[in-house]
Amino acid sequence: MNNFDYLKNYQIPGDLLLELLSLYKTIGKSEIYSNIYKEDFLVDYNSSLEEDAFEIVKYLGIKVSFERQRLIITKDYTPKTKEENMISAIKKMLISIRSNALEFKHPINSIDILDLLKRIYGPNIKINSNDFIIQGAKNRSVRFKFNTILDDYDAAIASNLYEPLILSSILIMEMYNIKPYSEYNELALILTYYYLLLKCGIVSFNYVSFFKMFFENKEEVFSLISKGSINYDQGTIFFYEFVKYTLALINKSFDALNNIEKKKISKNAHKSDVIEDSILKALPDLFSKEDVARLNPTGGAYGSSSNSIATVKNSSKF
């Protein structure tokens, strides 16, 4: 029995269930967030993508000056060295991950993940074909084990019987133990985790940096996964703590998104007050505060003071 099959007899603990129910309400606001960010979607989307790229460059220790990093990541300057090509590849890779995550049916597979690593490090990375040892005995190859796990994951997702965030957390823990690639398995795991969260509908990571939040507690995350894998030799993982971390990470991302939303609302409210004051000062004898709000209700959100004054002046002509 694999760890996805284990869920058939698994009862979600009460505290975890309450956290999931609370999170469902937040995820359900996706349409609201999309409307809020409709005007600034590309600005915020690109800003978080660029921040993610900077974070990965720092994590990988790529030795390129910050100014050159900035030009390549934010201005798409042509890279001139091997290291700069790696930075350019990181940004393109992130765009690809986000794009693929938007596709409703795009099953995860070992070749796609391998391709992400090759974009950065070149063609020499391979899927591990060594024997997979568990419970003291060979269990076919690492390649076979990993592909089987990925197939089981896709089947479990397609069944709609289990919570996708729990399934995704289990897959990440399996990947940690299997180590499916010849090198850079930690990076492969982190990129896969990011992709899976996007596939689970966590829209916040389109606007705030996943990698900044993850790297802040990276050692803690891998410690949780390691402790939960203590009996992996017997084919069992304990995923409760890592699922709790996943939910906490998502909640943190939505809190950050809410803070961005509040700043936007506050900025527009301040702009509205400035416009209103400008009109009242320019035309004090003609209009009251109530007149301004009635005649130009949307001026605060999208207009300028001069445009709003012109609108209200035109409204006063008979």
Side-chain angles (χ1 to χ4, degrees):
M1 183 174 76
N2 64 40
N3 284 288
F4 300 119
D5 288 335
Y6 174 71
L7 291 176
K8 293 176 182 177
N9 302 311
Y10 178 72
Q11 185 172 354
I12 298 177
D15 60 333
L16 204 61
L17 182 61
L18 289 175
E19 288 187 44
L20 281 167
L21 291 174
S22 176
L23 186 60
Y24 293 155
K25 294 179 182 178
T26 304
I27 295 175
K29 295 179 181 177
S30 296
E31 187 174 346
I32 295 174
Y33 287 121
S34 296
N35 289 332
I36 289 172
Y37 288 98
K38 192 171 183 179
E39 296 294 325
D40 299 322
F41 173 79
L42 281 178
V43 174
D44 294 319
Y45 183 92
N46 289 332
S47 176
S48 65
L49 188 144
E50 290 164 1
E51 188 172 7
D52 279 336
F54 281 118
E55 289 293 332
I56 294 175
V57 170
K58 183 167 63 175
Y59 160 71
L60 296 179
I62 299 174
K63 303 298 183 184
V64 173
S65 71
F66 179 76
E67 181 58 23
R68 286 297 297 172
Q69 289 183 40
R70 186 186 67 80
L71 291 173
I72 294 166
I73 293 172
T74 67
K75 305 295 183 183
D76 292 323
Y77 270 46
T78 302
K80 296 180 179 179
T81 66
K82 176 183 176 182
E83 289 76 16
E84 289 184 359
N85 272 300
M86 291 172 70
I87 294 173
S88 179
I90 287 169
K91 181 178 179 181
K92 292 175 183 176
M93 175 195 68
L94 289 171
I95 293 171
S96 175
I97 290 174
R98 289 189 177 190
S99 175
N100 287 338
L102 288 174
E103 296 181 22
F104 182 70
K105 290 185 178 180
H106 188 84
I108 187 169
N109 65 70
S110 57
I111 300 300
D112 283 346
I113 303 170
L114 179 64
D115 179 62
L116 298 178
L117 297 178
K118 286 184 174 181
R119 291 188 192 192
I120 302 174
Y121 288 108
N124 293 330
I125 305 169
K126 295 178 174 54
I127 299 177
N128 193 339
S129 58
N130 295 335
D131 291 331
F132 184 75
I133 310 272
I134 190 168
Q135 295 176 309
K138 294 180 181 179
N139 187 9
R140 302 204 179 185
S141 68
V142 171
R143 177 195 294 266
F144 178 84
K145 173 67 174 176
F146 187 46
N147 284 332
T148 300
I149 290 293
L150 293 177
D151 289 342
D152 290 342
Y153 171 82
D154 287 334
I157 288 287
S159 73
N160 292 319
L161 295 175
Y162 312 108
E163 167 54 48
L165 290 171
I166 294 179
L167 292 173
S168 297
S169 297
I170 291 174
L171 174 57
I172 291 302
M173 294 185 73
E174 288 277 10
M175 194 171 175
Y176 170 85
N177 287 281
I178 294 170
K179 296 179 176 55
Y181 300 102
S182 57
E183 49 190 331
Y184 307 114
N185 281 291
E186 184 174 289
L187 176 60
L189 182 150
I190 296 169
L191 294 176
T192 303
Y193 189 36
Y194 174 54
Y195 173 77
L196 294 177
L197 291 179
L198 291 175
K199 285 292 289 181
C200 286
I202 310 305
V203 297
S204 51
F205 288 126
N206 283 321
Y207 308 107
V208 299
S209 173
F210 163 82
F211 292 92
K212 181 178 181 180
M213 290 185 176
F214 182 88
F215 290 140
E216 283 174 352
N217 299 291
K218 181 174 75 71
E219 301 308 320
E220 174 192 345
V221 178
F222 283 108
S223 176
L224 287 175
I225 296 175
S226 178
K227 289 176 182 177
S229 303
I230 191 168
N231 287 335
Y232 191 78
D233 280 347
Q234 283 74 50
T236 302
I237 56 176
F238 301 104
F239 50 81
Y240 171 80
E241 292 295 339
F242 183 53
V243 171
K244 280 190 66 93
Y245 165 79
T246 296
L247 299 184
L249 177 68
I250 295 169
N251 278 317
K252 184 178 179 181
S253 72
F254 275 107
D255 286 343
L257 191 57
N258 282 328
N259 288 333
I260 295 173
E261 176 193 349
K262 288 176 182 177
K263 288 179 181 178
K264 287 179 181 291
I265 292 173
S266 176
K267 182 179 178 181
N268 285 337
H270 174 70
K271 188 175 181 181
S272 179
D273 290 341
V274 170
I275 293 173
E276 188 174 284
D277 288 343
S278 299
I279 295 172
L280 291 173
K281 288 177 182 177
L283 307 165
D285 298 326
L286 293 178
F287 297 103
S288 68
K289 194 172 184 178
E290 290 73 18
D291 292 329
V292 174
R294 176 175 57 82
L295 293 168
N296 195 38
T298 61
Y302 304 104
S304 65
S305 297
S306 57
N307 288 341
S308 298
I309 291 171
T311 300
V312 176
K313 277 184 175 180
N314 289 335
S315 298
S316 67
K317 296 179 181 178
F318 298 98

